[in-house]
Amino acid sequence: MEELISVQNVSFRYQEEHPYVLKDVGLSVQKGEWLAIVGHNGSGKSTLARLLNGLLLPEKGDVLVEGFNSRDEESIWEIRRRVGIVFQNPDNQFVGTSVQDDVAFGLENSGMPREKMLKRIAESVKKVRMEDFLDQEPHRLSGGQKQRVAIAGIIALRPSIVILDEATSMLDPAGRKEVLQTMRELKEEEGMTVISITHDLEEAARADRMIVMNAGEVIDEGVPVDVFEKGDMLEKIGLDLPFPLQVQRALREKGYDFSKLTLSQEELVNELWTLQSKS
Amino acid sequence: MQNIIIGQYVPGQSFIHKLDPRAKLLTAFLFVIIVFLANNWLTYALLGAFTLIAVFVSRLPLRYIYNGLKPILLVIILTFLLHVFLTKEGPLLFDFGFLEVYEGGVKQGVFISLRLLFLIMITSLLTLTTTPIDITVGIESLLGPMKKIGLPVHEFALMMSIALRFIPTLLEETEKIMKAQSARGAQFSSGPIKERLKSIVPLLVPLFVSAFKRAEDLAMAMEARGYRGGEGRTSIRLLKWSGKDTTLFIILLMLSVGLLLLRS
Ligand SMILES: Nc1ncnc2c1ncn2[C@@H]1O[C@H](COP(=O)(O)OP(=O)(O)OP(=O)(O)O)[C@@H](O)[C@H]1O
Ligand SMILES: [Mg+2]
């Protein structure tokens, strides 16, 4: 496994004499993984995301992206090109007056010649299946489509990591599904590394690994099934457990034995049948 | 509301639609100047011919041109009347006792009205056949050399295009807030003026709050995508000066020479 991002003992606050928003945070991101970051409102997830691509700089500690330290002024552009962020609000990150203009924005910033840009744009809108909308204006697109355009604008820059900062939280279920599906395909087919910041534990359950944040600290880290074993802790910091987990926990309390927790509804149903046949 | 969104642009495939926005901008600009060269029937006829041919070539339905003229029709009529009644030159045509109309007055009135008419027609032709964003790109390119003397041309163009991008979004939002406030009993379109003005405040406050939030988000998103000012930036929008544009330019040159020769 190759380490793409390394966050070392990072503390951060927005203003002096304000409390720290991140406290001694350490984590690493491996190439090709899907890492979910969950945590209550205000736990510092977005702040962390901004530190990861140099929009904010740590007060203490270091953030290294493929070896570039965000403290070095010359590294900042290298880091921003390698780490793309899809933000929460689909409207407020759409810069261009059309899909093509918006996807081009990052490329224009990097000073790419036009011919090359056109190729990159065609390539990346195809990957998010928005190739038929190139001339469309943003107000004629759905939220999910806008987020897919945002993804296209980012992958056009060929980054190593895409961060979704609650990128699906303002979308309807259909839009959410299409955006996550797009990202999963990118991960499978292009080996993209994904950091997904979310409130949705069901989404986090499908990640390769997850990190739990509370009040500016990383309080747990591991494969989702293991993290979910500590359901009390998640509930205590105000996160809603996915439905299958709630069922299993309730049944456990009643004395039924679930050796291994499952996160999918289907597996739960099977498990329940097994229990039924045993009793 | 849709009209404001795309400006007045009417999509089309005509010769004029396909011109480089820079050519159109320059033409409109030059036209505004040479209109003042005309000072007799012949020169006005020449300008009129140019304007009418341009309208014809654009293949725009005439009602769009008329819509552009409507707001200033009153101004044109008033200007005409003022000149007719106040200019006292040449032989007397009518005498109403309290009012005298001279030939010079009628002539002046017609000329000034025509001048206004031509100006409005040519400039509306520009906005009707060019998307606002193309106009912006055209202006950016034409003013490009001014960057050297420190004029923030790129910033201006970016500002324009972001404004164009967000106008529909903010309109949509205004509508939403209006509906929400109406549901709470606010009256925007009826009632005494004072009440209506009062009801604007709860409309503007949330609108401003959200606009600032959007601006902040957008700035963050732009920075995250590597924006660092106009320096070294390339553009996806390509302006192409072609034979058509040069032709237009030559026509305009000929028009100017014609005006200079024929004016008295
Ligand atoms: N620009 C800012 N200036 C000052 N304080 C800020 C700023 N942005 C966030 N904060 C504060 O930092 C803390 C962490 O905010 P952050 O946005 O990182 O949380 P979050 O985990 O992303 O929350 P959410 O789930 O609501 O998005 C909050 O207490 C917030 O009030
Ligand atoms: Mg956040």
Side-chain angles (χ1 to χ4, degrees):
Chain A
M1 272 281 171
E2 189 187 328
E3 187 182 57
L4 285 187
I5 296 185
S6 155
V7 176
Q8 297 161 356
N9 309 97
V10 164
S11 294
F12 178 85
R13 53 185 167 179
Y14 281 95
Q15 268 145 28
E16 282 186 34
E17 81 263 352
H18 275 219
Y20 279 96
V21 173
L22 292 178
K23 296 164 207 156
D24 199 24
V25 170
L27 57 94
S28 79
V29 183
Q30 308 299 318
K31 193 175 165 70
E33 75 172 334
W34 182 300
L35 173 67
I37 301 182
V38 301
H40 194 252
N41 290 77
S43 56
K45 307 179 300 287
S46 299
T47 309
L48 178 62
R50 286 168 201 171
L51 279 153
L52 294 184
N53 86 335
L55 284 172
L56 298 173
L57 296 179
E59 189 179 307
K60 298 179 198 149
D62 291 288
V63 175
L64 299 170
V65 176
E66 295 190 55
F68 290 98
N69 190 325
S70 68
R71 284 177 187 285
D72 301 338
E73 235 164 85
E74 290 99 65
S75 305
I76 223 78
W77 306 110
E78 294 298 322
I79 292 181
R80 294 219 178 127
R81 211 180 52 66
R82 286 174 165 77
V83 184
I85 305 186
V86 185
F87 295 93
Q88 181 173 22
N89 189 317
D91 260 319
N92 298 0
Q93 58 186 313
F94 205 109
V95 190
T97 38
S98 71
V99 169
Q100 164 152 311
D101 284 323
D102 191 65
V103 177
F105 184 74
L107 301 173
E108 292 177 322
N109 290 338
S110 72
M112 186 180 285
R114 185 167 181 275
E115 292 307 311
K116 201 169 162 199
M117 273 202 262
L118 287 173
K119 259 191 229 135
R120 287 279 188 98
I121 293 169
E123 225 175 76
S124 41
V125 289
K126 202 150 177 219
K127 281 181 195 153
V128 301
R129 288 188 302 276
M130 287 296 289
E131 65 269 36
D132 297 333
F133 297 87
L134 268 183
D135 291 323
Q136 197 80 290
E137 293 152 359
H139 61 275
R140 298 186 205 284
L141 299 175
S142 73
Q145 288 175 326
K146 276 181 229 173
Q147 291 301 63
R148 270 152 57 201
V149 173
I151 294 174
I154 285 168
I155 59 175
L157 286 161
R158 306 249 169 96
S160 342
I161 298 149
V162 176
I163 303 179
L164 306 173
D165 187 358
E166 300 188 47
T168 59
S169 66
M170 288 178 75
L171 306 180
D172 56 16
R176 184 169 310 182
K177 212 169 142 194
E178 78 192 33
V179 169
L180 288 175
Q181 188 54 39
T182 305
M183 273 324 294
R184 288 209 180 93
E185 282 167 19
L186 283 171
K187 180 188 183 263
E188 296 308 322
E189 286 155 26
E190 320 273 324
M192 189 71 74
T193 310
V194 183
I195 301 178
S196 159
I197 295 174
T198 176
H199 279 283
D200 185 357
L201 290 192
E202 275 179 61
E203 188 200 316
R206 298 186 57 173
D208 299 322
R209 196 162 64 93
M210 68 188 275
I211 283 178
V212 185
M213 293 197 52
N214 189 39
E217 287 175 289
V218 174
I219 58 168
D220 201 8
E221 189 259 303
V223 252
V225 213
D226 294 344
V227 173
F228 285 121
E229 275 291 345
K230 307 159 202 161
D232 291 332
M233 178 263 298
L234 294 175
E235 277 184 334
K236 205 160 67 205
I237 63 168
L239 292 168
D240 290 324
L241 290 181
F243 178 69
L245 273 178
Q246 290 183 16
V247 174
Q248 290 165 79
R249 285 165 54 79
L251 284 170
R252 253 189 194 173
E253 267 170 40
K254 293 247 183 286
Y256 291 95
D257 173 40
F258 284 94
S259 48
K260 195 170 168 293
L261 287 180
T262 162
L263 298 171
S264 87
Q265 209 141 324
E266 224 169 291
E267 278 176 43
L268 172 64
V269 173
N270 286 336
E271 196 85 10
L272 288 177
W273 279 116
T274 328
L275 272 181
Q276 162 90 358
S277 56
K278 267 194 240 165
S279 60
Chain B
M1 288 228 167
Q2 288 291 315
N3 311 341
I4 320 177
I5 292 172
I6 23 181
Q8 301 169 303
Y9 177 66
V10 182
Q13 292 295 321
S14 75
F15 174 81
I16 299 192
H17 279 88
K18 288 182 179 157
L19 285 168
D20 186 315
R22 287 173 298 185
K24 286 189 265 192
L25 279 163
L26 281 175
T27 304
F29 183 70
L30 268 176
F31 189 84
V32 170
I33 296 171
I34 61 171
V35 147
F36 290 93
L37 288 176
N39 62 355
N40 56 26
W41 292 107
L42 210 54
T43 41
Y44 272 102
L46 201 58
L47 281 176
F50 176 81
T51 311
L52 289 180
I53 290 173
V55 169
F56 178 74
V57 170
S58 76
R59 283 194 252 145
L60 288 171
L62 285 180
R63 79 192 137 88
Y64 287 110
I65 309 277
Y66 173 70
N67 283 345
L69 286 174
K70 220 165 34 184
I72 61 130
L73 220 49
L74 191 70
V75 177
I76 295 182
I77 292 170
L78 272 178
T79 321
F80 175 74
L81 289 179
L82 273 176
H83 275 96
V84 166
F85 293 130
L86 296 180
T87 313
K88 300 190 184 344
E89 273 170 28
L92 186 68
L93 289 183
F94 304 100
D95 189 351
F96 302 104
F98 60 100
L99 268 178
E100 295 161 331
V101 175
Y102 293 84
E103 195 191 285
V106 173
K107 201 167 120 187
Q108 272 301 313
V110 171
F111 282 178
I112 303 288
S113 313
L114 279 178
R115 188 183 284 174
L116 275 170
L117 207 68
F118 296 157
L119 280 177
I120 301 297
M121 280 166 90
I122 289 294
T123 43
S124 4
L125 216 52
L126 168 71
T127 52
L128 285 167
T129 61
T130 324
T131 58
I133 192 73
D134 275 340
I135 293 182
T136 309
V137 176
I139 293 177
E140 180 176 14
S141 161
L142 285 176
L143 293 183
M146 308 289 258
K147 278 180 201 160
K148 288 207 182 72
I149 59 162
L151 217 65
V153 176
H154 160 75
E155 286 76 5
F156 166 76
L158 186 75
M159 231 161 65
M160 279 290 292
S161 75
I162 288 177
L164 290 170
R165 145 77 188 90
F166 274 94
I167 286 169
T169 310
L170 291 177
L171 280 177
E172 234 166 66
E173 186 154 20
T174 313
E175 234 169 317
K176 226 187 277 169
I177 300 173
M178 261 168 109
K179 278 189 192 139
Q181 306 288 27
S182 303
R184 299 192 180 102
Q187 294 196 320
F188 295 105
S189 46
S190 60
I193 294 282
K194 210 179 137 204
E195 288 299 308
R196 271 196 267 173
L197 280 180
K198 255 197 205 157
S199 66
I200 299 262
V201 175
L203 178 70
L204 285 184
V205 170
L207 200 61
F208 267 86
V209 170
S210 115
F212 276 107
K213 167 86 179 112
R214 285 181 195 282
E216 212 178 303
D217 282 2
L218 189 72
M220 174 84 65
M222 285 169 63
E223 233 186 294
R225 284 162 75 181
Y227 181 71
R228 45 175 148 171
E231 198 77 19
R233 212 168 173 268
T234 46
S235 174
I236 187 76
R237 288 195 176 258
L238 183 67
L239 295 178
K240 232 168 149 182
W241 190 278
S242 62
K244 290 194 287 295
D245 305 295
T246 314
T247 311
L248 175 69
F249 216 71
I250 293 171
I251 293 174
L252 207 71
L253 221 61
M254 280 168 22
L255 180 68
S256 314
V257 173
L259 288 174
L260 280 172
L261 289 178
L262 294 175
R263 78 194 295 259
S264 46

